[in-house]
Amino acid sequence: MKKLINGAEDVLAESLVGLAAAHPELRVDHANRIVYRAEPKPHGTVAILSGGGSGHEPLHAGYVGFGMLDAAVCGEIFTSPTPDQIALATKTVDTGAGVLHLVKNYTGDVMNFDMATELAGGIAVATVIIADDVAVEDSTYTAGRRGTGVTVLLEKIVGAAAEQGRDLAELAALARRVAGSGRSMGMALTSATLPASGKPNFDLGDAEIEVGVGIHGEPGRRRVPLGSAREIAAMLVEPILADYTFGGEPAVVMLNGMGATPLIELYVMFGEVSALLEKAGVRVARSLVGNYITSLDMAGCSVTVLRADDELLGLWDAPVSTPALRWGV
Amino acid sequence: MKKLINGAEDVLAESLVGLAAAHPELRVDHANRIVYRAEPKPHGTVAILSGGGSGHEPLHAGYVGFGMLDAAVCGEIFTSPTPDQIALATKTVDTGAGVLHLVKNYTGDVMNFDMATELAGGIAVATVIIADDVAVEDSTYTAGRRGTGVTVLLEKIVGAAAEQGRDLAELAALARRVAGSGRSMGMALTSATLPASGKPNFDLGDAEIEVGVGIHGEPGRRRVPLGSAREIAAMLVEPILADYTFGGEPAVVMLNGMGATPLIELYVMFGEVSALLEKAGVRVARSLVGNYITSLDMAGCSVTVLRADDELLGLWDAPVSTPALRWGV
Amino acid sequence: MRDAPAISYEQLLNWLRFIDEGLIEQRGFLTELDAAIGDGDHGTNLARGAGAASSKVDAEQPEYLDELFKLVGMTLVSSVGGASGPLYGTFFLRLATGVGHRQELTPEQLADGLEAGLGGVVERGKPEPGDKTMYDAMAPAVRAFRAGISSGDVASASRSAADAAAEGRNATADMVARKGRASYLGDRSVGHIDPGAASVALMFEALAAALA
Amino acid sequence: MRDAPAISYEQLLNWLRFIDEGLIEQRGFLTELDAAIGDGDHGTNLARGAGAASSKVDAEQPEYLDELFKLVGMTLVSSVGGASGPLYGTFFLRLATGVGHRQELTPEQLADGLEAGLGGVVERGKPEPGDKTMYDAMAPAVRAFRAGISSGDVASASRSAADAAAEGRNATADMVARKGRASYLGDRSVGHIDPGAASVALMFEALAAALA
Ligand SMILES: Nc1ncnc2c1ncn2[C@@H]1O[C@H](COP(=O)(O)OP(=O)(O)O)[C@@H](O)[C@H]1O
Ligand SMILES: Nc1ncnc2c1ncn2[C@@H]1O[C@H](COP(=O)(O)OP(=O)(O)O)[C@@H](O)[C@H]1O
Ligand SMILES: [Mg+2]
Ligand SMILES: [Mg+2]
Ligand SMILES: [Mg+2]
Ligand SMILES: [Mg+2]
């Protein structure tokens, strides 16, 4: 394992030290691994909180700031945070108008956020679960779909709406609508290596890829021979289009890198993906190309398509000022 | 070789297709591999042009836009662009006030930009060479130092000054001052693999790193055992501090990822680097942590420290709107 | 069996110690199981939790067993995270309520406690038999313990609970996962032991050792 | 040697063709040399340039040798990039001027042309002997060609030029690079052949084959 770290146990804590040093506009609670805006929201405004396992940077801490999250709760690498961390963050960001929890659909995340809500008694909490990964069959008898790329777009859009002063119920409804209108699909060229384990989670041959991976270094749905960018784009876009009708509506499209894939390749992939989408009648109105929700040092990418409308595009375009997404301010 | 590409020969062309699709605010000349702002500068304003081999994304095309570059000329991967490309871009961006060429100090880049200036006869061109890499001994008898991380900071600062309407001589003087006040040092955990060659340029053992690498997948000055983040930070910061006096002036510090290193590790490194700098009396006034000048799929990082002052910080903070750097607008 | 000898505080403290030791030993193994069909952190998660729980117990030295198990459960909840934190945390919190405010337990009281703990896991995770989770080792183990104390002593009951847990653990290899991360793999989860079932087997092995 | 038979247009066209073929063959080798002490693109760069030059020559079929070499030089400048684009491009542009507006050359005229080409490389890159660059193969080859034609025919002169280039190429292995990317390696560049010197050796091997 070759990583720029000190001890394997210290990665999260020390990355937060670096984050705090790089971003004076954030306040880091090192003991509890919570990242807040240094400048809290005005009283009576709903706060937006997210969190999850670490190793997906810039998600979530990189999205704390004006127009997006009020706080991010950081779990250990690939491990959801604990209820007391989440409850503390919830209490801290509440300005009296309640707190919206944005939770990626993983058993651990859902359970820990649930327990946190019980602990944060007295504060109005609404929870929206994100489950956008079409690689996983949707079923009420299973853990269901994973929350992946839509999380980034959702945090931006709902964060913008919160700045407008909308109330908790409106924001939760908006978040559910966004969560319902986006789909993602990912693939890996290599597995991630957790610092604590020191070995790749799975081994891929020199000419193999995993299709349908999530963001936790887990194996995907199937292993297929390495194809061209064009073929891989089709493997990602087709299941997304098969799962949801994007119609002629404008779409926000993210071509996300898993952490170790260079930007030049992501742009090659975006060219292929946007061509496929346009061919299918999906109008790419806004786009993001880069590392936005990663899986440590995994090489690979994922595609996220969100059906939008004028309201969502307006919220997308609204000012945002976070370490990883910034415009208009 | 596992890459998200179609043919090895098509990587650059196809990445520009993706860039054009993702960024309608840019205009891409696909035949000549030049990226322009879609909205050119007002008449009578000096244009800022840079370029070089590809494989360093977001450098340079990702820095085209308001407050930074007017155009980026893209060479093949790790190969400087040709004189006619550069000359065409120079003619296109000139609004009558002349064009500033920002050139990283590599034999090929310097020669091709020189020949381009001859070809662009009639247009006032000033050239500033960036040579900030302390891994290389400075000498008039050799190719001299490489241009690396300072390029990013320089393009931002001089781009902001150009928007203010400063003239070519002033901008060239400013650029020389910035180029002279910044230093960089890099290291690699793995080598880059060029698509056309299909193999890593050099092989590193499981517990070895290259110290003093540049951004072209070339081997570094020395190979040493893999150390902790803290030890590696010292290997990067010490030669920078030994080479230049940063005094008590405010500094702009970049902790740059080489392409395949996850952000969580870059933040760990930034924590170490900023601690070392503060200990040495260097005041970190602004910072950038992320992949800003990369070397394809190389894992590793580089540190850049620029001595600033109120003027430079003001230019740093000025609005910028490019794919890779954006704030204030 | 009437008048069975009581299970002492010390024996149950040993249980926790043996779990801790077992986790230090099997941490890599559990993580490898999790790497194959999950995200490769199960051993790390539990080792962190057990370490935190031991320190807490050493520091606070609770006098009563319900306090002991509650402290363990709370510490697991607040230090483990992931899926296993709430599940194991809830197990110990319910075990605490199940055994009551006592300093020693009858075999029946321990069986009640284990059943309450199992009930907590079911409530939290909604696992069904055959979903390929920790439940598939825990449910047979708890059943075997209850059956064991009606026909033998706690030593043999906890031995057969450990054996049942191991059998349950092994049986998860043939299952298609429907809960937890392994469910994302669908049929590809077959052939791999569930890491949570493996840590449950470890927990009951530790119990057998403590009550031997 | 008076009255030496003229060097024909076709022979010089063959030279270009042999360079092209040699580059297709040695592309990987040149790139490996460059990967060791540079950035691993030298073979790719020259193969791209030679391919572009061949297409241009086929399409335009220039009648005179100066037009031919100018076309090659211009195409190399505009299609290769990197350090080798301007250097080889300038070499052929100066070769064009050096041989003059002719359809066949005397050996002296070719020697003049090669010397002019070498002069262009020196002007462009400022290489000094021993800097471990293409110059260290090109300079001895050009010298050997001039010496060869005064004592023998073009076939033997071009043969000894090729041998001198090969020797110059091999000698670069012992040098510490002071120009080009290899200079960044300092002493670590020792033990490796300079890729540009290797492509120069290929170019003179092609000349020997064309004039054999
Ligand atoms: N819904 C559930 N019910 C019961 N047990 C579950 C459930 N989901 C997951 N588990 C158990 O949790 C184990 C995984 O724990 P761990 O790796 O620590 O957490 P995570 O999956 O969050 O990384 C699985 O092996 C499984 O036994
Ligand atoms: N200043 C120079 N003078 C002469 N030759 C040089 C000089 N710099 C580099 N070269 C030659 O160029 C070769 C490298 O060419 P190439 O790999 O195509 O370009 P780049 O170094 O830009 O990647 C070197 O091996 C060397 O022979
Ligand atoms: Mg986990
Ligand atoms: Mg090159
Ligand atoms: Mg796990
Ligand atoms: Mg090269």
Side-chain angles (χ1 to χ4, degrees), chain B residues 38-39 43 54 77 87 91 98 100 102 106-107 111 116 119 123 174 193 203 209-210 228 236 284 290 312:
Chain B
E39 186 92 48
H43 201 80
S54 295
I77 290 176
K91 286 176 197 156
L100 179 61
L102 301 179
Y106 299 99
T107 307
M111 286 197 248
L119 289 179
I123 295 175
L174 174 68
T193 296
D203 282 310
I209 60 174
E210 283 273 339
S228 66
L236 301 180
V284 181
L312 297 191

Side-chain angles (χ1 to χ4, degrees), chain A residues 78 107-108 111, chain C residues 34 39 41-42 45 82-84 87 121 125-127 132-135 179-181 194-197:
Chain A
F78 291 175
T107 308
M111 287 197 266
Chain C
D34 196 28
D39 59 352
D41 62 356
H42 189 59
N45 288 347
S84 48
L87 291 167
V121 169
K126 317 263 178 316
K132 194 183 183 105
T133 69
M134 59 172 63
Y135 177 86
K179 291 279 153 58
R181 288 183 201 284
D194 176 66

